[in-house]
Amino acid sequence: MFKHAQLESVKAWIGDPEHAALPLRARVQRAIRQLILDGVLEVGRPLPASRSLATSLGVSRDTVESAYSQLHAEGFIERRVGSGSFISARAQHFPGRGKSRKTDFDRTPPVRLSQRGNAILQNGGVRDFLTPRPFAPGVPETRNFPLPIWERLERQVLKEFGTQALLHSPPHGMEALRQAIAAYVNLERGASATAERVLILTSTQQALTLCAQVLLDAGDPIFIEDPVYHGARKAFDAAGLACVPVPLDRDGLMVEHLLEQTRTSATSPKAVFLTPSHQFPSGVTLALDRRLAVIEWARRHQGWIIEDDYDSEFHYAGKPTACVQGLDPHHRTIYIGTFTKSLFPGLRLAYMVLPPSLVTPMTIARTLQDGHSAPIPQLTLARFIEGGHFGAHIRTMRAVYAERRDVLVRLVREHLADFVEARVPGGGMQMPCLFIRDIPESEAVERARQAGVDVLGLSALHASPHHRTGLLMGFAAHAPHELDVAVRKLAAVLRALCD
């Protein structure tokens, strides 16, 4: 029979609210198993008869019998006809027997990770805003998305493809979507793409990780913009690359710095990361002469240009500049696009337009990550693009976002003029605001978060210590009245910090 303390331990385990989702038989079985694993029940010790234990626990005999049967199947107990149930000798080989598991855990030294694992842990990964609050950068408005059209197209896909749509997608993506993307970027972005050169992925982050792993070795340098999109730098850091910052001015990346470092460095970087349409976070556009200069640099040094065209659809003054990839006749540019910003984050679809020489290496490397993207969203998105719905949605949201940018500019000048200077972007989904007073940036970000406002500190995006502090404020996902409330909250936070 169980001792009183052991019986009470089983009762406590069964009654623990954390285990309430388990069936009663599973709770009884796991409670007894835990006593065995902890060494509380010795090898060879008899267990109570099922009827007796059921009475003590206030459960049915069938529940205890089911628990005993599972323990027997897992090798924790032996059942002998006419003699009862006993703790199995196999249980003595469990390494934690006879020790307090909590004490053992408390004394366990920190886990030893690889250098890459430690780098990933230290840089903290990339945080998505799961429930967007005002000013979270890079978050689109989803309340305007035409769900009825999407649902209709998805039903068409399921009706046409049936159970075929439930199978694996090819690792490079469904042909219909690759064709639709190639046609779209050729027309709207001035790209030079074919369906065969499009690789469907789940995110821009996956694309950046693939570029870091396939194109460069650990320790290799890579040119990055300064400031730079934090997800890119973290992907490159995690791969062990040495990021070499290149400063910006009003015309984008200062290419003369890149060329100078190439001439004077013993180990010149063989890749450069760019956000040329709307630089993140400054919002500036890379001038044409500098685009051509980067292309020539890549040709001359057999380098790679990693072009992230993350929100090029949202340009508010005329048409956006053609992408770098479409200007590059030497096939040295990898073009990255995503539907996370233009449609909705839950879609989890992005893509790369690759030079012909990289199609096979990148596709094979992708199979070692998540293998493929889900076919149903791919096929639905292909019809969404082909039917003109994607273009119509972009036009609608471009007007919405332009209005919200203007509203935010007005609100910042009305309520935050004593604290920040707004740098009004010509496109994109966020606006940098530079402090004009001595305000502790990290404390401002934290206090804003506590007040219900998500802003991103600009310092985290800079590699150089020589920069002005400030906040990056997203405006796309919230209506004018929501922006008004949020700006007033932020004003109260900054005012309290300055008093």
Side-chain angles (χ1 to χ4, degrees), residues 283-353:
V284 300
T285 298
L286 186 63
L288 176 60
D289 59 328
R290 298 188 181 185
R291 294 173 184 238
L292 297 176
V294 171
I295 291 171
E296 175 59 20
W297 168 86
R299 181 199 67 81
R300 179 173 299 177
H301 299 280
Q302 290 299 286
W304 297 107
I305 302 168
I306 303 171
E307 178 182 14
D308 183 0
D309 208 30
Y310 69 103
D311 67 356
S312 62
E313 293 88 358
F314 305 120
H315 197 84
Y316 309 130
K319 290 186 67 66
T321 309
C323 66
V324 172
Q325 191 269 355
L327 301 173
D328 177 10
H330 314 297
H331 301 302
R332 306 299 305 180
T333 304
I334 298 98
Y335 177 93
I336 300 172
T338 179
F339 296 99
T340 295
K341 305 291 190 295
S342 54
L343 294 179
F344 54 94
L347 183 57
R348 305 308 298 148
L349 285 176
Y351 59 92
M352 290 196 290
V353 179

Side-chain angles (χ1 to χ4, degrees), residues 55-66:
T55 301
S56 299
L57 297 177
V59 302
S60 71
R61 185 183 180 189
D62 286 346
T63 295
V64 176
E65 277 292 335
S66 178

Side-chain angles (χ1 to χ4, degrees), residues 191 245 284 286 371-372 436 442 451 461 469:
V284 300
L286 186 63
H372 70 106
I436 57 176
S442 59
L461 308 177
T469 58

Side-chain angles (χ1 to χ4, degrees), residues 1-2 7-8 10-12 14-15 24-25 27-28 32 48-65:
M1 291 294 294
F2 284 163
L7 182 63
E8 290 303 312
V10 173
K11 288 181 178 179
I14 294 172
L24 185 55
R25 64 182 184 278
R27 281 183 271 166
V28 173
I32 298 173
S50 58
R51 188 185 304 277
S52 172
L53 182 57
T55 301
S56 299
L57 297 177
V59 302
S60 71
R61 185 183 180 189
D62 286 346
T63 295
V64 176
E65 277 292 335

